[in-house]
């Protein structure tokens, strides 16, 4: 088997890197109060409790009739959502009732309208009923004062719905992370450059655009520092400026060992380097460090310059670290969901690095989860990434895979989808 040319002693595994990042990052302590409708995606910094019982009263789960006692029944009124029947029912009385309407005093069950019929002023039942049928009881979901959501929870739409129903109009959340974003490379050009104006070897600064789109989905406050040349002084000035304005700095390019790769060296001048060169493919030249400042420190994440490598390392390493910084509870900062799928094509791999190949997974006609590679797997090939819906995760010390082998797949989740 051909040796992996990037397999070198001392490379940190992906799992080790994730664990080290989780241990070395402290959540932000500053908070803010937000109206509930603006809080989706934010992380709770104070527990949320219900202000009332849910449901707020005994009510009907169906359109039908609320009954009291035993048949025969006489219809004496109606109870509609927002317009309850105010009197108490006596045995043998019933009211027309709609879904969600309050159950009158004395009623203990509801018969569906399809199972009853009015005849000569009386309600006749087509089916026997018992106490509790189609009744939603006060407080059966939530009681006033109950803890609804604890600190460290990233609020989703169901959470917002629950809090709104429980009368919670505002929540305390961790403030937004301030992220400075920059690209490094003499060959990079802005998107408004005409193709014919590109020099030999020039490329568009796609990494910064893709990284910015990612971070915007995560609700970060972005400080866009643009594209820098391969000049230590320019990089030093940008990092010093970003250090004082941001909680984190995310750069792409300049962290490898090339003649013009200066970002890592500048980082070590201004602060300290804690992680560099991981056993991950694509993306070995990933850097993590700290830049001390007057009121604390700014975290630095240096991503590779190849576009696929930048996105893979952002997704696999930076996003879990960001969740920790945002205050997401420890049990939620876990490795992403994976499953098993049968491989539809052979994959060449040498031991040495965990490989995150881009794939497309689906269930075949027999209901079996299958996966296939999407295009060439080079770290510069974005078309295959765009066609993919998952990573095919090949363990660090594994080798080639053949058609029919079972492999681990990690379906894409936000913000890649």
């Amino acid at each position: 088997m051909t040796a992996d040319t990037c397999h070198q002693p001392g490379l940190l595994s992906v799992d080790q890197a994730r664990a080290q990042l989780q241990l070395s990052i402290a959540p932000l302590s500053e908070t803010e109060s937000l109206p509930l409708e603006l809080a989706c995606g934010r992380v709770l910094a104070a527990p949320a409790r219900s202000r009332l019982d849910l449901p707020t009263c005994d009510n009907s789960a169906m359109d039908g009739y609320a009954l009291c006692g035993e048949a025969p029944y006489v219809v004496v009124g109606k109870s509609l959502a927002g317009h309850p029947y105010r009197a108490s029912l006596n045995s043998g009385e019933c009211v027309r009732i709609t879904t969600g309407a309050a159950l009158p005093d004395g009623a203990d069950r509801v018969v569906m309208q399809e199972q009853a019929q009015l005849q000569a002023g009386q309600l006749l039942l087509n089916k026997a009923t018992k106490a509790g049928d189609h009744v939603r009881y006060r407080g059966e979901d939530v009681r006033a004062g109950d803890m609804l959501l604890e600190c460290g929870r990233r609020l989703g739409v169901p959470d917002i719905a629950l809090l709104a129903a429980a009368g919670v109009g505002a929540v305390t959340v961790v403030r937004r992370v301030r992220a400075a974003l920059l690209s490094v490379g003499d060959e990079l050009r802005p998107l408004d450059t005409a193709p014919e104006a590109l020099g030999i070897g020039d490329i568009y600064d796609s990494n910064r655009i893709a990284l910015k789109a990612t971070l915007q989905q995560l609700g970060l406050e972005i400080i866009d520092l643009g594209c820098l040349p391969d000049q230590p002084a320019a990089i030093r000035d940008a990092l010093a400026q970003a250090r004082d304005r941001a909680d984190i700095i995310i750069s792409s390019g300049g962290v490898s060992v090339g003649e013009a790769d200066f970002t890592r060296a500048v980082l070590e001048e201004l602060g300290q380097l804690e992680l560099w060169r991981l056993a991950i493919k694509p993306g070995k030249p990933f850097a993590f460090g700290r830049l001390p400042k007057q009121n604390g420190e700014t975290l630095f994440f240096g991503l590779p310059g190849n576009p696929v490598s930048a996105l893979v390392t952002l997704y696999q390493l930076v996003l879990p670290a960001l969740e920790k910084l945002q205050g997401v509870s420890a049990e939620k900062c876990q490795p992403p969901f994976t499953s098993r799928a049968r491989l539809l094509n052979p994959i060449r791999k040498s031991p040495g690095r965990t490989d995150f190949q881009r794939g497309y997974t689906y269930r075949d006609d027999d209901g079996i989860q299958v996966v296939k590679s999407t295009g060439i797997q080079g770290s510069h090939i974005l078309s295959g990434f765009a066609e993919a819906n998952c990573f095919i995760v090949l363990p660090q010390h594994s080798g080639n895979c053949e058609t029919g082998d079972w492999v681990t797949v990690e379906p894409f989740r936000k913000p890649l989808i």
Side-chain angles (χ1 to χ4, degrees), residues 354-386:
T354 302
D355 197 345
F356 293 90
Q357 299 215 2
R358 282 67 67 201
Y360 188 86
T361 185
Y362 61 96
R363 289 194 179 275
D364 66 13
D365 293 340
D366 296 322
I368 297 173
Q369 195 71 31
V370 296
V371 67
K372 60 182 179 181
S373 298
T374 54
I376 302 170
Q377 293 293 310
S379 59
H380 62 298
I381 302 294
L382 284 169
S383 58
F385 207 157

Side-chain angles (χ1 to χ4, degrees), residues 75-96:
V75 179
V76 295
K78 59 185 177 181
S79 181
L80 308 178
H83 301 279
Y85 183 77
R86 302 284 183 181
S88 297
L89 297 184
N90 299 310
S91 182
E93 293 181 336
C94 68
V95 296
R96 183 80 171 91

Side-chain angles (χ1 to χ4, degrees), residues 232 236 262-273 291-292:
R236 187 180 300 108
F262 302 114
T263 305
R264 182 174 59 88
V266 172
L267 170 65
E268 291 180 305
E269 288 180 29
L270 298 177
Q272 63 186 74
L273 180 69
L291 286 77

